[in-house]
Amino acid sequence: MTTPARTRVAPSPTGDPHVGTAYMALFDKAWARKTGGRFVLRIEDTDRNRLVEGSEQQIYDSLAWLGLDADESPELGGPYAPYKQSERLDTYRPFVDKLIEDGHAYYCWCSGERLAQMRKEQQESKQSNTGYDRLCLGMTREERAKLPGFSETPVVRMLVPDDVTLSFHDLIRGEVKAPRPDDQVILKADGFPTYHLAVVVDDHLMGITTVVRGEEWISSTPKHLLLYRWLGWDAPDFAHMPLLRNTDKSKISKRKNPAARLMWFREQGYLPEALRNFLQLLAYPPAEGEQEVSSFDEFVEGFDWGKISTVGPIFDVKKLDWLNGVYIRSLPTHELADRIVSYALESGQWSSVPEGGRETVLAATPLISERLVTLAEALPKLQFLFDSDYDLSINPASVAKLKDNAGEVLAVAETTLKDLGEWTTGAIHQALNVALVEGMELKPKFAFAPIRVAITGEQVSPPLFESMEILGKDSSLARIARLAQEL
Ligand code: GLU
């Protein structure tokens, strides 16, 4: 039996949440569930210059939307609160002092200009060692102040030893090698810790056993392992996930791909369960005989770090479109109708629910669900049911394609339907069939096209007779009369 894992996702609220955050959260949550442990959400907001208003809330909302919400978080609290680094500033300082005392860290007063100058010279002389040149190491403030490039408020740097261990074990990759780190800043001039210090201190204090993060952090891991060693702590397990890639294999970024924004999926009308399933498939394709469509519980059941490939998975939205359709069609009609209405309100398709709107959507949902890819497509397909008979826009291109006898067809249809007692799909269909297909000897295609254009404004629409039943007799007749007149 594995010991219960404590996992965490640790996004920085620096903009719209990235889809990678959800990807990490999926594994965090799966591993926590599989081992009977807990999944923590920590907000890493120590980089004050990059904070974006509203971003933190979006992180909570989008993870909750996906069903990947944490067991402990700034919102929920928990035994290791606070879970937001800006509220933990007092926590970090004593560890910095200890590292300085033990000779593992030192103050550095070098100004930004001096560091830039140093880097320039290193580049020009093509030196292989491009890290900080340790000018301040071993100096007192007074000694350093006499030299140029002095800044009043120092930072604190790690003193990375020559024999720093550069390889470590990764749950996905096995033995991993990383480059030799620079004397990393751990405390900034503004008194805030850097990511490197804060992540180690918090992961330790919060009892994190498994760190799941993107492969871009592999090069930072030797520094983190040094900090664990110096502070006398056991390091957690590491799982560095491959980066998601675009179909052209480039790294997925918010600048290049709208799908890198987690909110994008919700805006486009994807179902959270479809996106979650899609992210599961990116982890590893199903084994032979296993299905692509699988629940989170099934994912947890079969979860295994060893199955995850280190090759960055290709983020192909076509696959998601397919999955979304599958999930849409697996919903009971009333549930799908509810989601269409919620989406309409959330996206601004509707500013409020029109009178009878819910009932109309519920009745019409079966007419469109078969071909629906996203929730966003639903209401535009049904717009004709919400337009008034005179505001319905009739597509001139559709009218132009009608045969010359369209006026006659509409006239016969109007007379036939006026007398129809029972206004049901079957009765409408049968009456029109008798009058137009049999009576006028028309092919069904030509018989019903004018009626379709009259009722929906388009040549292509949801099923006609069902639509007429939902629209009602008066509206249907009014629309047929209107087009007859306009022809
Ligand atoms: N705050 C880091 C990020 O946003 C977290 C990296 C980690 O998980 O250690 O990527």
Side-chain angles (χ1 to χ4, degrees):
M1 177 66 203
T2 350
T3 33
R6 285 183 57 81
T7 58
R8 67 12 171 222
V9 68
S12 300
T14 53
D16 278 19
H18 193 279
V19 68
T21 298
Y23 195 52
M24 301 308 142
L26 176 72
F27 299 99
D28 284 317
K29 187 153 178 161
W31 187 233
R33 286 291 169 276
K34 174 121 189 167
T35 58
R38 311 259 293 170
F39 163 43
V40 175
L41 167 62
R42 182 174 66 230
I43 294 289
E44 300 207 327
D45 56 350
T46 57
D47 193 346
R48 307 307 285 171
N49 297 324
R50 293 181 57 220
L51 295 189
V52 171
E53 167 102 21
S55 170
E56 188 183 321
Q57 191 59 44
Q58 286 179 339
I59 292 170
Y60 302 141
D61 292 348
S62 49
L63 289 180
W65 176 70
L66 269 173
L68 295 175
D69 38 350
D71 304 311
E72 300 167 24
S73 73
E75 264 189 320
L76 293 170
Y80 299 92
Y83 291 91
K84 206 192 284 193
Q85 289 185 329
S86 59
E87 293 171 9
R88 303 171 60 79
L89 295 179
D90 296 344
T91 308
Y92 309 111
R93 184 70 219 202
F95 298 111
V96 177
D97 293 339
K98 176 174 162 44
L99 291 170
I100 295 174
E101 238 162 73
D102 295 350
H104 294 308
Y106 60 97
Y107 284 107
C108 172
W109 292 269
C110 286
S111 65
E113 297 79 55
R114 162 153 209 280
L115 293 174
Q117 180 63 26
M118 176 197 80
R119 254 176 250 122
K120 200 170 147 231
E121 281 163 22
Q122 284 172 340
Q123 263 166 15
E124 279 165 8
S125 65
K126 301 213 162 63
Q127 239 175 283
S128 60
N129 183 5
T130 52
Y132 175 60
D133 63 3
R134 295 188 171 166
L135 176 67
C136 298
L137 178 61
M139 286 194 193
T140 61
R141 181 190 176 85
E142 289 68 36
E143 287 164 346
R144 179 61 184 85
K146 293 189 190 118
L147 301 177
F150 176 82
S151 135
E152 281 298 327
T153 37
V155 301
V156 175
R157 290 181 182 273
M158 292 170 71
L159 180 58
V160 175
D162 289 342
D163 66 346
V164 51
T165 311
L166 296 177
S167 64
F168 62 94
H169 179 79
D170 185 279
L171 291 175
I172 301 170
R173 294 156 196 269
E175 206 58 15
V176 177
K177 277 205 172 64
R180 192 186 142 60
D182 186 15
D183 280 2
Q184 177 68 51
V185 173
I186 52 174
L187 192 73
K188 292 181 277 185
D190 63 4
F192 277 69
T194 58
Y195 157 71
H196 302 284
L197 178 75
V199 78
V200 167
V201 169
D202 285 344
D203 282 343
H204 171 74
L205 294 181
M206 294 181 178
I208 301 302
T209 61
T210 317
V211 166
V212 184
R213 59 186 175 193
E215 68 180 324
E216 71 269 33
W217 298 108
I218 287 178
S219 60
S220 298
T221 307
K223 296 181 240 187
H224 300 177
L225 290 171
L226 268 181
L227 291 170
Y228 279 105
R229 202 177 81 200
W230 290 339
L231 293 168
W233 299 334
D234 285 337
D237 291 335
F238 291 97
H240 288 94
M241 301 298 301
L243 293 179
L244 304 178
R245 291 180 300 158
N246 295 309
T247 40
D248 69 0
K249 306 216 168 140
S250 59
K251 176 185 150 186
I252 203 164
S253 73
K254 285 192 260 176
R255 206 161 36 83
K256 281 215 285 201
N257 188 340
R261 288 176 53 236
L262 199 42
M263 315 288 283
W264 180 83
F265 298 94
R266 193 170 181 172
E267 290 160 10
Q268 295 300 305
Y270 289 104
L271 303 188
E273 49 271 59
L275 177 58
R276 190 225 356 99
N277 195 149
F278 177 65
L279 295 176
Q280 288 173 191
L281 289 180
L282 291 179
Y284 37 84
E288 255 199 41
E290 272 178 28
Q291 295 206 65
E292 293 196 301
V293 179
S294 71
S295 67
F296 181 64
D297 288 345
E298 287 165 329
F299 181 67
V300 169
E301 179 87 9
F303 186 76
D304 179 356
W305 294 110
K307 285 201 260 181
I308 298 171
S309 151
T310 53
V311 180
I314 303 284
F315 200 90
D316 184 0
V317 178
K318 270 203 226 100
K319 186 81 184 191
L320 175 61
D321 283 346
W322 171 76
L323 272 173
N324 210 51
V326 171
Y327 278 93
I328 279 182
R329 280 176 278 290
S330 73
L331 292 177
T333 304
H334 67 91
E335 165 99 39
L336 178 55
D338 282 348
R339 299 230 202 168
I340 290 171
V341 170
S342 305
Y343 177 84
L345 293 171
E346 217 175 271
S347 66
Q349 284 179 331
W350 275 350
S351 51
S352 62
V353 181
E355 208 188 307
R358 264 176 213 285
E359 294 71 16
T360 303
V361 169
L362 180 61
T365 293
L367 310 191
I368 54 166
S369 65
E370 209 42 54
R371 288 162 152 224
L372 210 55
V373 176
T374 64
L375 296 176
E377 293 171 358
L379 222 50
K381 284 186 202 284
L382 301 178
Q383 188 51 45
F384 70 94
L385 293 172
F386 294 97
D387 291 332
S388 77
D389 301 332
Y390 294 94
D391 290 337
L392 173 74
S393 81
I394 299 178
N395 186 346
S398 297
V399 175
K401 287 202 188 108
L402 295 177
K403 294 263 174 217
D404 291 341
N405 67 352
E408 198 188 332
V409 170
L410 290 171
V412 174
E414 198 185 345
T415 335
T416 309
L417 294 175
K418 226 179 236 160
D419 296 336
L420 192 63
E422 183 200 354
W423 194 258
T424 60
T425 299
I428 298 166
H429 189 175
Q430 214 216 329
L432 290 175
N433 210 40
V434 169
L436 304 174
V437 179
E438 291 167 19
M440 291 177 74
E441 294 187 359
L442 296 173
K443 286 202 174 123
K445 197 172 126 196
F446 299 122
F448 303 136
I451 305 171
R452 187 183 297 280
V453 175
I455 298 292
T456 69
E458 296 288 348
Q459 213 182 6
V460 180
S461 76
L464 177 60
F465 310 114
E466 285 83 348
S467 298
M468 291 170 76
E469 179 182 328
I470 295 170
L471 199 58
K473 185 171 181 176
D474 292 348
S475 261
S476 298
L477 285 171
R479 290 179 186 205
I480 290 170
R482 178 186 152 195
L483 182 62
Q485 217 168 41
E486 284 177 19
L487 279 181

